Amino acid sequence: QVPVVESGGGLVQAGGSLRLSCVASGSIFSINAMGWYRQAPGKQRELVAGITADGRTNYADSVKGRFTISRDNAKNTMYLQMNSLKPEDTAVYYCNVRGRSTTYYYTDRDYWGQGTQVTVSS
């Protein structure tokens, strides 16, 4: 069973919107923080947005005002609403979950999804 699964990517035109979802499996019973990262070909992976257990958020400067991160603690689910998409947003987007699982009860660890492709055409 994959511990973290993201979905919602696709192909959109510039100016369009997408909503990404990330679901942490039940084995992750306590989430300290969640975040969205992205990696474009030939570029470093970068943090797009993050959210802590108490709801604090942060965003990369490049997406401020366009992207919104949120989470549903009861569902162990995180979302990334992406509006006003630009071609430079094209990348594979990865969900990261930092928390404790049934395997590691007392230590926070990072769990990554497989990635979902977001492609924005001009």
Side-chain angles (χ1 to χ4, degrees), residues 44-105:
Q44 293 272 24
R45 183 185 65 185
E46 64 175 342
L47 175 66
V48 177
I51 185 167
T52 63
D54 60 359
R56 290 175 293 163
T57 60
N58 65 285
Y59 299 90
D61 288 342
S62 60
V63 307
K64 287 180 179 177
R66 300 188 297 120
F67 291 10
T68 302
I69 188 171
S70 62
R71 63 185 284 181
D72 185 332
N73 292 343
K75 297 180 179 180
N76 274 14
T77 301
M78 175 179 65
Y79 307 95
L80 183 67
Q81 180 65 47
M82 304 185 293
N83 298 326
S84 301
L85 284 163
K86 304 175 180 180
E88 50 262 46
D89 295 319
T90 296
V92 177
Y93 284 70
Y94 298 92
C95 175
N96 172 261
V97 177
R98 178 170 294 168
R100 303 184 182 189
S101 71
T102 54
T103 303
Y104 299 94
Y105 279 93

Side-chain angles (χ1 to χ4, degrees), residues 98-119:
R98 178 170 294 168
R100 303 184 182 189
S101 71
T102 54
T103 303
Y104 299 94
Y105 279 93
Y106 308 109
T107 304
D108 285 343
R109 296 179 65 87
D110 287 333
Y111 301 89
W112 293 90
Q114 82 289 346
T116 185
Q117 177 71 47
V118 172
T119 303

